[in-house]
Structure formats: C-alpha cells, structure tokens
Amino acid sequence: AGGRPPLPSVRRGSKAVTRHWKAMHFQRQKLMAVTEYLAPRPAIPPRCLAPRKERLEEDNSYVRLLQRQVEEVFRDNRMIVICQYNSMPGEDVVLMRHYLRKHNIEVKFILNEIIRPVLSQSKYKNLLPLFVARNILLVSREAKVKEMLRVLKGVPQINLLGACIDDTILSRQGVENFAKLPTLEVSQGQTVGALALLPSQTSSLLQRGSAHLAALLDEHIRRLQAGETGSPAEPAPAQSSG
C-alpha cells in the first residue's frame, strides 16, 4: 500500500518519418500519359491567318493626318515660334489666343510624339532639342515678331525657346534681335538710297572736269572779245578748285 507509483514510460529516440519520396508506378505513369489533355488543333494553321491590323491601321491613319497637318504648318507659315507651355488657367489661355489672333498669330497645341518624326525627316531637324517638355507653336504667315513678344511679355507661363523665321532657325536672343530690326520697307528704302548715292557721286566727279574746262574756255572767249572791242575785261568769277 505504501509503495511508489509506477513510472510513466517515455519513448526516446527519433520520430518515424513516413513521407519519403517514392517513384510513381509505371502503370500510373502510363495512365497519366494516356489521360493527358491535348488541345484540339485549329482547322486553319495560325501561320495561314492574316494578322488583325484594323485597329492599328486606324491609329496610324490618324497619326499620319496629324503629321500632314504639321507639314502644312511649316510649309505655309513664315514665322514658327516654339514655346514651353506651363499650366495656366483656361481664361488666360483664351485671352492670350485672342490677343495673338488680332495680329494673325495662331496657337497650335501639338504632341511631341507627332511632331518629332516629322522634323527628323525634314530640314528643320535642328529644332528637335526644343521639343522635350510640353510645347506650343505660335505660327503666322507674316513675321510679326514685335507683336508676339509684346503679348508674351504679359504671359509668364509661356517661355520662348526658339523660332524659325523665313527658313532661318533663331534662338531666343536671335528672336529678340530680329524684333529690333527695321521693317522691310524701311530697309529697302535705305538700300536704294545707299545704292543711288554712289552713282550720283561718280557722275558728279566725271562731269566736274568737263564743266571746269567749259568755264575756262568761256572766260578765254570773253577776254578775247573784250580785247577786240577795247573795253576793259571784267573780273572773272572765282572758280572752285574742287
């Protein structure tokens, strides 16, 4: 009655591992190979089917239309100004367009993906470095640079980058220098005056010798006539040595 309680049996040692890899039986392998799903072959091989490009052709047609419009812009306008466009209220954009339209200057919003391929294949490819961010074009059939700069002076969100005027690429400083030049009519008048001055001076130099010789002969004849009549000769007018 007063003996010790029985000791519990403790199992020591490693646990039994029952999950060992076992190769699939060859009959099961045959069964799996036979029952494998094979997709049905199409009636027409894929290499014989024409690729579907309807959507792609539609997109390319629209892109070509936009690129053709860009070509017309560069062909029909004398002044093409590239500006950087920053975010601004819609009312300010409308006012800017209104002021520019008074001077026959149009504002064009064109994506870089459209205009860059056109410029890369034209004589204006040196303008490509300007088309990096969001840009706008100010185009006009006349070179109205002074009016354009006057309008952009009141719009700080529009930054002038460069321009192409009369097929000549100009930087920002070049555009500002171009605005300081006189008008075409004034330049033509100055050129005509400078060209007419040289022939007139040449003509006067060529006629000066003959005129001086004629004056000397007239004075000689007058003195001879005065000597024959016996009247004292009047003093001859002073001749310029020039």
Side-chain angles (χ1 to χ4, degrees), residues 54-145:
E54 297 178 359
R55 184 63 181 177
L56 183 61
E57 291 179 357
E58 182 180 355
D59 297 341
N60 290 340
S61 300
Y62 181 66
V63 170
R64 286 195 298 268
L65 176 61
L66 296 178
Q67 292 178 351
R68 194 177 302 113
Q69 293 178 356
V70 173
E71 294 176 357
E72 293 177 357
V73 167
F74 277 83
R75 183 177 64 249
D76 300 337
N77 296 280
R78 292 180 53 194
M79 184 184 72
I80 303 170
V81 181
I82 301 95
C83 301
Q84 181 183 4
Y85 176 78
N86 298 313
S87 180
M88 57 188 300
E91 298 179 356
D92 296 344
V93 176
V94 173
L95 289 176
M96 180 189 67
R97 282 189 164 184
H98 174 68
Y99 292 140
L100 291 174
R101 196 177 292 112
K102 286 184 177 180
H103 306 289
N104 297 326
I105 302 176
E106 297 293 334
V107 180
K108 301 289 185 180
F109 289 86
I110 303 177
L111 297 177
N112 294 340
E113 293 79 5
I114 302 298
I115 194 171
R116 288 182 66 88
V118 178
L119 296 181
S120 61
Q121 300 177 1
S122 65
K123 59 183 178 181
Y124 307 105
K125 57 184 178 181
N126 291 333
L127 292 173
L128 287 175
L130 301 180
F131 293 92
V132 177
R134 190 178 182 186
N135 301 325
I136 61 173
L137 298 181
L138 307 181
V139 300
S140 175
R141 296 181 180 272
E142 302 177 1
K144 295 186 176 181
V145 182

Side-chain angles (χ1 to χ4, degrees), residues 145-173:
V145 182
K146 294 182 180 179
E147 295 80 357
M148 183 265 301
L149 291 178
R150 191 180 304 116
V151 175
L152 293 184
K153 188 176 182 180
V155 187
Q157 293 87 351
I158 305 299
N159 300 324
L160 176 63
L161 300 179
C164 179
I165 303 176
D166 293 334
D167 293 337
T168 303
I169 298 177
L170 302 175
S171 62
R172 178 188 179 94
Q173 187 63 36

